Amino acid sequence: MDKNNIKIHVEGLTKDFGDNHVLRGIDIDIHAGEVVCVIGPSGSGKSTFLRCLNRLEEATSGTITIDGASITDPKADVDKIRQHVGMVFQQFNLFPHYTVKQNIMFAPVELKLKSKEEAAATAERLLARVGLAEKIDAKPRSLSGGQQQRVAIARALAMDPDIMLFDEPTSALDPEMVGEVLDVMRELAQQGMTMVVVTHEMGFAREVADRVIFVDEGVIQEEGTPAEVMGNPQNPRTKSFLSKVL
Amino acid sequence: MDPTTLVNTLVAAWPLLWTGLQMTLFVTVVSLVVAMPLGVVTCLMNLSKFRALRGIAKFYIWLIRGTPMLVQGFYIYLAMPQLIQATIAPDFRIDVVTASVVTLILNAGAYASEIFRGAIQSVPDGQTEASRSLGVSHFKTMQKIVIPQAVRICLPSLVNQCIITLKDSTIMYAIGLPEIMNQAKVYVGRTFDSLATYTWVAVIFLIIISVLMIVSSQLEKRMRA
């Protein structure tokens, strides 16, 4: 891939929580349209890595550049950068005092990017896309976990992001609801969205990812195509991890 | 105590009790109206990133929680005026209504600020993160996502604080505020009719507070819905 379409550039990223060195130096370039799945044992730092990408966690050192703009720069306009980087959380985090429609309209309207009418039309279109058109006026608590997560994806898409971050999007779901969320993500990947997905869904990673990175002890231990990393791992840590989860 | 005596006492004592009740309600309502914004400001100071603001808020809350209201009332009505007269204003006077209202405001403000703080902190971090990850500012996130949820959480506790302030206003009896207990005492002083008179005082409080409790439980129900 050529250098001109690098969407995310990470160099020397470290993150300490007190004496706990969670990230010990991560370097990676992620290109436009690429789907990168981040796998690794719990506590390996993979979620922290993802949360550093939109500065929900402050990096201890290193630089992260999103579309050419440094988000680790103390003077960075973080809100501006985040508008182009959608995020989906393990716990969905829908706003319980808003309806599904209001959840999706909230950011575009508050940030004056869309009129109420435009935002409402977008909400309808996105809900149809995630298969929840009939839930537009429902409150989040009346939805199943899988439905809530699909609404959360629609809420992130309402900002027209060109990067989407997924932080274990199916880990809090009952098994029978995992599929519906992965289907939406698969479709998004096919449409060319740049995606970074922290996941335990090895089947999804194998099928959808362009690149799999295996993180352990705060560094990228191994990376490559799913066939390389998952089919023929070289690093003993990767082998050991995959033998437990596959 | 037969019913006729009870009713007769109410009729006879009512002019005094009504005057006292009006004073009780007046100081309670005025105090709460001022205490709520004071509580919001104190809470925001307490959650501020500036250490000095946090320090002021914590000191104020510590002072109020750490002293009995009766002592605060005496201090504000009797001790503090001496201090002010001796230092900045020799002619300083404070009337008993003002002193009572100030005491109740300082009390309810401190407790309300803790109620607000608990409510804001009980909104999950994920709510803030979801909003900030969409590019929405800290201020807008507080205004549109955190505070609306916190208000729902704390409404029942705030109604409870109103009940406490209403009841606490009777403590101002001790510095001579002509509230309902004081007026009841005047009536009993003339008639020695303690039983019926204080029964009516208790009943009057029970009626007002029952209404507030119904409001509180309705709010709680609506919150869960």
Side-chain angles (χ1 to χ4, degrees):
Chain A
M1 296 208 195
D2 69 282
K3 275 212 146 200
N4 298 324
N5 65 357
I6 291 176
K7 296 294 276 185
I8 305 174
H9 172 73
V10 180
E11 206 174 304
L13 172 65
T14 72
K15 172 67 185 178
D16 299 341
F17 290 105
D19 292 336
N20 188 5
H21 307 297
V22 177
L23 298 179
R24 297 160 182 264
I26 302 248
D27 300 280
I28 189 171
D29 283 331
I30 294 168
H31 299 81
E34 200 180 5
V35 177
V36 175
C37 282
V38 184
I39 60 171
S42 45
S44 59
K46 54 192 193 303
S47 279
T48 305
F49 162 66
L50 194 76
R51 290 164 58 83
C52 284
L53 295 182
N54 67 351
R55 209 162 136 181
L56 283 184
E57 302 289 352
E58 296 278 346
T60 303
S61 68
T63 55
I64 298 169
T65 313
I66 307 284
D67 269 330
S70 168
I71 195 167
T72 39
D73 184 335
K75 285 184 297 236
D77 187 349
V78 181
D79 289 341
K80 192 85 192 160
I81 298 172
R82 283 173 176 162
Q83 290 176 20
H84 303 283
V85 184
M87 185 158 196
V88 175
F89 300 85
Q90 185 176 349
Q91 298 296 338
F92 332 130
N93 297 343
L94 293 181
F95 306 130
H97 57 307
Y98 287 163
T99 63
V100 164
K101 187 185 189 177
Q102 290 168 329
N103 263 276
I104 299 173
M105 290 170 62
F106 167 67
V109 171
E110 279 307 320
L111 297 167
K112 299 189 171 41
L113 301 172
K114 288 192 173 110
S115 71
K116 278 205 167 136
E117 292 71 28
E118 287 171 303
T122 309
E124 281 171 33
R125 182 172 53 78
L126 288 170
L127 279 174
R129 187 166 157 192
V130 299
L132 289 170
E134 77 283 5
K135 298 291 186 187
I136 190 156
D137 292 316
K139 281 286 181 86
R141 83 187 65 206
S142 71
L143 304 181
S144 72
Q147 291 172 331
Q148 289 194 45
Q149 194 61 299
R150 286 187 279 155
V151 172
I153 294 172
R155 177 176 68 180
L157 292 175
M159 291 295 294
D160 298 321
D162 39 31
I163 298 169
M164 284 283 283
L165 309 177
F166 292 85
D167 189 4
E168 303 199 29
T170 58
S171 296
L173 296 177
D174 291 334
E176 73 269 24
M177 293 169 185
V178 170
E180 64 193 61
V181 172
L182 293 183
D183 286 344
V184 171
M185 291 168 61
R186 191 177 291 117
E187 204 187 302
L188 210 51
Q190 281 158 2
Q191 287 161 357
M193 178 67 75
T194 309
M195 291 164 59
V196 186
V197 186
V198 171
T199 188
H200 293 291
E201 293 296 330
M202 295 301 149
F204 177 83
R206 191 191 291 266
E207 179 203 341
V208 179
D210 296 306
R211 186 158 38 135
V212 172
I213 62 177
F214 172 71
V215 173
D216 195 13
E217 307 249 298
V219 294
I220 296 175
Q221 302 276 355
E222 187 161 1
E223 65 176 304
T225 64
E228 287 164 0
V229 175
M230 302 169 85
N232 184 22
Q234 302 300 313
N235 186 312
R237 285 178 188 278
T238 321
K239 284 181 191 168
S240 146
F241 173 73
L242 289 171
S243 72
K244 285 177 206 144
V245 296
L246 285 179
Chain B
M1 180 168 56
D2 66 284
T4 339
T5 323
L6 259 184
V7 174
N8 287 342
T9 300
L10 182 62
V11 172
W14 183 249
L16 276 172
L17 292 184
W18 174 234
T19 319
L21 181 60
Q22 283 174 305
M23 179 57 79
T24 296
L25 294 175
F26 172 76
V27 295
T28 304
V29 170
V30 172
S31 303
L32 287 171
V33 166
V34 183
M36 291 306 157
L38 174 66
V40 171
V41 171
T42 307
C43 167
L44 293 177
M45 286 170 69
N46 206 349
L47 296 174
S48 156
K49 56 183 169 182
F50 300 107
R51 179 183 284 204
L53 292 181
R54 285 204 308 272
I56 294 168
K58 284 186 198 309
F59 176 76
Y60 158 53
I61 294 166
W62 171 76
L63 202 63
I64 295 299
R65 291 176 76 174
T67 52
M69 196 171 171
L70 186 60
V71 176
Q72 295 161 15
F74 274 73
Y75 206 88
I76 288 165
Y77 187 44
L78 303 167
M80 197 197 59
Q82 281 191 356
L83 180 68
I84 295 175
Q85 284 155 10
T87 51
I88 41 179
D91 300 326
F92 183 81
R93 288 271 181 285
I94 189 165
D95 66 275
V96 69
V97 177
T98 310
S100 302
V101 168
V102 169
T103 310
L104 290 167
I105 288 171
L106 289 176
N107 251 273
Y111 288 106
S113 87
E114 288 293 271
I115 292 170
F116 293 137
R117 186 171 65 99
I120 285 177
Q121 289 178 336
S122 70
V123 176
D125 288 344
Q127 292 290 308
T128 307
E129 289 183 352
S131 176
R132 297 302 311 273
S133 78
L134 291 162
V136 178
S137 68
H138 172 75
F139 181 79
K140 275 274 176 206
T141 298
M142 286 300 282
Q143 187 193 356
K144 297 284 180 171
I145 302 299
V146 178
I147 290 178
Q149 292 185 58
V151 166
R152 281 161 204 235
I153 293 167
C154 72
L155 271 181
S157 309
L158 281 183
V159 176
N160 196 43
Q161 182 57 47
C162 295
I163 292 174
I164 292 171
T165 301
L166 173 65
K167 295 207 285 186
D168 278 353
S169 70
T170 58
I171 295 176
M172 296 302 116
Y173 161 88
I175 57 171
L177 180 72
E179 47 68 69
I180 188 166
M181 263 310 279
N182 225 324
Q183 303 292 9
K185 189 86 194 308
V186 170
Y187 181 77
V188 171
R190 285 185 208 152
T191 61
F192 299 101
D193 189 4
S194 293
L195 179 57
T197 309
Y198 294 133
T199 302
W200 280 116
V201 172
V203 167
I204 288 167
F205 273 106
L206 276 170
I207 291 168
I208 298 169
I209 289 168
S210 298
V211 172
L212 289 170
M213 283 165 77
I214 291 165
V215 170
S216 171
S217 72
Q218 290 297 325
L219 286 173
E220 243 171 297
K221 254 188 227 151
R222 262 184 48 194
M223 220 180 77
R224 267 190 247 114

